[in-house]
Amino acid sequence: MLKYVLIGIGFMLLIEGLLYFFFPQKMKDMMKTIENMEVEKIKTIATIVCIIGACLIYFTIKSY
């Protein structure tokens, strides 16, 4: 099980690194946009993303 967690973290870091490598200016612009957002809106978006991620993990593990 730990193997799958480490693979998942590795893929997450790989994808995030590729985004910063290929789109550095767009990532900087996105950071500026996030800086101007309200804290509650950021928390809401983060909660939704966490729920989607948890569901993805759950249903992937359940199907195998």
Side-chain angles (χ1 to χ4, degrees), residues 17-43:
L18 287 173
L19 286 174
Y20 280 98
F21 180 78
F22 287 114
F23 308 108
Q25 188 59 48
K26 290 194 182 275
M27 295 303 284
K28 285 180 74 171
D29 294 341
M30 188 181 301
M31 295 289 184
K32 290 177 186 172
T33 303
I34 290 172
E35 187 176 302
N36 297 328
M37 289 174 69
E38 297 175 13
V39 173
E40 290 303 317
K41 189 171 184 180
I42 295 171
K43 284 184 174 182

Side-chain angles (χ1 to χ4, degrees), residues 36-58:
N36 297 328
M37 289 174 69
E38 297 175 13
V39 173
E40 290 303 317
K41 189 171 184 180
I42 295 171
K43 284 184 174 182
T44 302
I45 293 169
T47 302
I48 292 168
V49 171
C50 287
I51 291 170
I52 291 170
C55 289
L56 181 64
I57 291 168
Y58 174 76

Side-chain angles (χ1 to χ4, degrees), residues 1-29:
M1 184 70 179
L2 181 61
K3 175 175 74 171
Y4 296 120
V5 172
L6 293 176
I7 289 172
I9 292 171
F11 273 117
M12 180 194 68
L13 292 173
L14 175 69
I15 291 167
E16 185 175 350
L18 287 173
L19 286 174
Y20 280 98
F21 180 78
F22 287 114
F23 308 108
Q25 188 59 48
K26 290 194 182 275
M27 295 303 284
K28 285 180 74 171
D29 294 341

Side-chain angles (χ1 to χ4, degrees), residues 52-64:
I52 291 170
C55 289
L56 181 64
I57 291 168
Y58 174 76
F59 289 117
T60 301
I61 290 173
K62 186 178 176 185
S63 68
Y64 286 103

